[in-house]
Amino acid sequence: MSYALTEEQQLIQQSAREFTREYIEPIATEMDRTGIHPSAVVQQMAEHDFLGLYLPEEFGGTEAGYLSYVLIIEEISRMSGAVASILINHASLAAYTMYRFGSAVQKQECLPALCSGEKLAAFALTEPGAAPGVGSHKVIATKEGDHYVLNGHKCYVANGGVADIYVVFALTNPEAGAKGMSAFIVDAKAAGLSIQRTIGKMGLRGCQSAELIFENVMVPQSNLLGAAGAGMKIVKEAQLVASVAEGAQVVGIAQAAMEDAVKYGKQRVQFGRPIAAFPAIQTMLAEMATHIHIARLAVYDAASLIEKGEDFMKEAAMVKLFTGRIGQSALIDVIQIEGGYGYSQEMIASRFYRDIKGAVITESSAAFPEKVIADDLLA
Amino acid sequence: MADMTLTHEQQKLQALAREFTAKHIIPVASEWDEKGEFHKFILEEVKNIGLHCMAVPKEYGGPGCDSVSQSVVMEQFGYGCCAFATTLGGNGLSSYPLAIAGTDEQKQLYYGRLVAGGMGGFALTEPGAGSDAGSCATTAKLDGDKWVLNGTKCFATTCGVANIMVVFASTDPSKGVKGLSAFIVEKERDGFSVGAVEHKMGIRSSNTVELLLKNVRIPKNHLLGNEGEGMKIAMKTLDMARPIVASMAVGVAQRALDAAVAFAKAYLDVNGKPIGMQQAVSFKLADMAIQVEAARQLVRNALRLKDAGVPYTKEAAIAKTFATDTAMQVSADAVGLMGNYGYSKDSFVEKLMRDAKVTQIYEGTNQVQRIVIAGQLLR
Ligand SMILES: Cc1cc2nc3c(=O)[nH]c(=O)nc-3n(C[C@H](O)[C@H](O)[C@H](O)COP(=O)(O)OP(=O)(O)OC[C@H]3O[C@@H](n4cnc5c(N)ncnc54)[C@H](O)[C@@H]3O)c2cc1C
Ligand SMILES: Cc1cc2nc3c(=O)[nH]c(=O)nc-3n(C[C@H](O)[C@H](O)[C@H](O)COP(=O)(O)OP(=O)(O)OC[C@H]3O[C@@H](n4cnc5c(N)ncnc54)[C@H](O)[C@@H]3O)c2cc1C
């Protein structure tokens, strides 16, 4: 790896590696089995300053930069994609949205608690059956005096039910459809906000997903995040920022899976030699190593752009597009290399196979990678 | 709608299997996947329609279905649940060695048990002998008029509940592959026991176990064919079985496609239109359909050659590889296209993606298929 990481970045990477070994490795398998949110690990992440790593010091963050942050995501993902998802939803989606689009007062009020770990955040966009703001369960925010009143359903909200604070997207102008969407900061304890159910997932189990019901939830006007009607623009930017972290998640999972396949391939003997000696196996390994390497460079590059405050949308979308393809195929090949044994629920490869699919699923249509890239090319 | 490329008889069987699948398999498949327990009760039902031992010839009391008919039925069962299809496919597979090398007496015994509703198993794989099936460590020694079997088999489908099976053992370890022989072993033989049960990522309600053979004594006439013909019998068996696995895979892929199409018609995009109206989505569906149809026709082609009595080894391996790769790709695409819903346990497609992976591994990995295909090409 020749990508020039600074000494500080290397130290952060190293500490995330140790963190993962100490706090995540012992619980990762059990967490996958139970699907229970690992609150102790989240507290440890807070103590290690991971939760606000890239946010400015003035808001309680560490100001170590977005690249350092994705290095942590990559390390954590080598053991648990689920813990990485908890962090991404907290830091790249919810906290990022508040940091980028919040008023000075909102930032002062919310971010320090998110950086310290006093509060965990979530990003509530998705709705059942249709794109947000479109279907019959859409969340509508009706203005009443100095409050908005929210009604509707959100689903697949990661950290849902365990978060203390939600960034919620709701229609302030229902006639305009999805274009009339706005973002709000909503306290999890707000009256009328309830958790309908948690949702079972194929993988990333432990990063709890929930369905939220809003029944006349009163939200002060001062909790409107960004301009009224700016929802789609906010979603696009936040999801693309998160895409880069998800790219790091894919790289981390795929790297760990590949290392597992290498180890297995060296020790599994068939036809009198280690299977890693067969060109067919070597080709699979060589291709995934190449893909992971290129993906990692693209992730670091896009993270650097975000860190420097430069245009990053196209590069972030490229990360999403590329890691989506290569992450999936890497895990299909890893299990293939490990044969019938790799297919066992008890082998780590089968968890990685399920987890990586969650990491590569596309964000909403606002941030559709092909569309974002093509729009940029054709502008 | 009837498939007009099939004979009238085959169409009738297809309709019967489809109805059975809708009534008895689809409603319970998710529950049994979750439990990971063997679905014995579906077997009871399938006996009622006489499709539990399709390969057994009429003169032995079976339905004596031709290969295309078996394939058509197995595609339907695969559509319903790949685990259940694997159970029935494995049952058929276990009976093929009899068709290849069985004497009338052996057929009476083996087919008799299957017709009566017993299940069969096929135990070739061992911890040290996967793709390299010839390096079998289980031994069979003649002691008077009995064969005495010793060794451990693994990944044996249905063998935890089967009551008769074909077990491969070496009658002359010094001869390697040429020392391999095939035997009929009934479950009640002393010294026969079931070891560890495999907990798998997918096809979870299919029973996969280890078999422990400790001085298992079986009559001399339980040897199939001659001593040393085991490998030949195994290879011919797998030729026959591969298009059946491929048929199940076509069913899995078709199910994924149907789910994706239904989703694309129902799920509304930001503009309130079904996402299927977007070219990015409709072209993806078309790509999936191209693969599914091509896979189905490759399978039928291999089986028509087989039923015509001409060589079909290469075509069977091609069909197995293409159809199982299709099941993998199309199920993964369906999860991606259906996004968070596809990834959740609310949908069925995440199960399809877990199930599909094994089809690329068992009955000869897709690398082994290439060895077979290339072997035919380079002869
Ligand atoms: C593990 C996991 C965690 C998640 N966590 C959260 C969360 O915390 N909060 C939250 O709000 N959501 C969450 N989601 C949902 C996710 O972020 C997206 O919102 C969702 O996958 C799809 O967005 P959508 O509902 O807007 O659908 P759409 O954007 O309408 O797309 C639905 C599907 O249609 C297809 N499609 C649509 N438009 C196009 C196009 N132009 N080109 C090609 N294909 C297209 C895509 O295949 C897409 O998957 C999570 C999802 C997963 C899998
Ligand atoms: C759910 C399940 C059910 C099964 N049911 C049965 C059953 O009923 N009866 C039975 O006998 N077996 C059964 N099997 C075993 C199955 O057939 C084997 O898993 C399969 O043959 C591969 O063997 P392996 O898992 O030991 O992998 P290995 O042979 O160790 O292969 C590991 C990897 O090396 C590759 N490889 C191996 N040799 C070569 C080579 N020469 N060139 C290139 N690549 C190579 C393989 O393709 C694979 O990618 C089952 C397996 C599973 C998972």
Side-chain angles (χ1 to χ4, degrees), chain B residues 163-217:
Chain B
N163 74 28
I164 193 157
M165 53 215 93
V166 174
V167 175
F168 291 81
S170 180
T171 41
D172 187 349
S174 72
K175 288 198 185 138
V177 172
K178 295 205 166 75
L180 197 64
S181 304
F183 298 89
I184 299 172
V185 179
E186 303 97 320
K187 160 191 177 182
E188 62 273 15
R189 295 282 167 194
D190 285 339
F192 172 93
S193 63
V194 175
V197 178
E198 243 351 271
H199 296 286
K200 308 180 295 297
M201 167 172 79
I203 59 163
R204 290 171 42 76
S205 67
S206 165
N207 172 263
T208 318
V209 295
E210 193 179 47
L211 290 184
L212 310 173
L213 305 159
K214 284 201 189 110
N215 292 319
V216 177
R217 299 173 75 84

Side-chain angles (χ1 to χ4, degrees), chain A residues 197 200 268 332 345 353-354, chain B residues 127 199 345-346 353 357:
Chain A
R197 61 175 184 136
R268 172 69 174 165
I332 290 173
Q345 185 178 253
Y353 174 94
R354 293 181 288 109
Chain B
H199 296 286
K345 299 261 174 193
D346 297 349
M353 192 183 149
K357 182 63 222 177

Side-chain angles (χ1 to χ4, degrees), chain B residues 17-197:
Chain B
R18 185 171 288 162
E19 203 182 302
F20 180 88
T21 301
K23 189 162 170 221
H24 295 289
I25 307 178
I26 290 179
V28 299
S30 293
E31 187 191 333
W32 286 79
D33 171 63
E34 185 129 341
K35 288 188 185 153
E37 284 168 25
F38 190 64
H39 37 224
K40 205 164 191 154
F41 65 102
I42 314 183
L43 284 177
E44 296 300 323
E45 294 292 343
V46 85
K47 263 179 242 163
N48 294 335
I49 58 164
L51 291 182
H52 61 294
C53 56
M54 286 182 283
V56 174
K58 285 205 171 85
E59 61 264 41
Y60 294 96
C65 294
D66 63 87
S67 307
V68 174
S69 296
Q70 292 179 41
S71 160
V72 162
V73 170
M74 288 305 288
E75 182 184 326
Q76 295 302 322
F77 290 163
Y79 188 95
C81 175
C82 189
F84 176 72
T86 296
T87 302
L88 278 201
N91 195 42
L93 164 76
S94 87
S95 75
Y96 298 152
L98 278 295
I100 294 161
T103 62
D104 180 55
E105 193 187 356
Q106 289 170 337
K107 287 177 181 172
Q108 296 282 3
L109 167 66
Y110 204 97
Y111 291 155
R113 291 219 180 179
L114 298 192
V115 170
M119 294 303 289
F122 177 87
L124 174 64
T125 305
E126 295 184 4
S131 299
D132 181 12
S135 69
C136 173
T138 297
T139 55
K141 289 203 179 77
L142 203 53
D143 179 18
D145 61 351
K146 302 269 186 202
W147 287 103
V148 185
L149 271 57
N150 276 293
T152 301
K153 294 285 171 184
C154 64
F155 291 122
T157 295
T158 317
C159 285
V161 287
N163 74 28
I164 193 157
M165 53 215 93
V166 174
V167 175
F168 291 81
S170 180
T171 41
D172 187 349
S174 72
K175 288 198 185 138
V177 172
K178 295 205 166 75
L180 197 64
S181 304
F183 298 89
I184 299 172
V185 179
E186 303 97 320
K187 160 191 177 182
E188 62 273 15
R189 295 282 167 194
D190 285 339
F192 172 93
S193 63
V194 175
V197 178

Side-chain angles (χ1 to χ4, degrees), chain B residues 276-293:
Chain B
M277 289 172 75
Q278 296 199 29
Q279 202 169 73
V281 174
S282 62
F283 275 35
K284 173 62 86 185
L285 293 172
D287 283 341
M288 291 158 79
I290 290 167
Q291 293 174 72
V292 176
E293 196 51 40

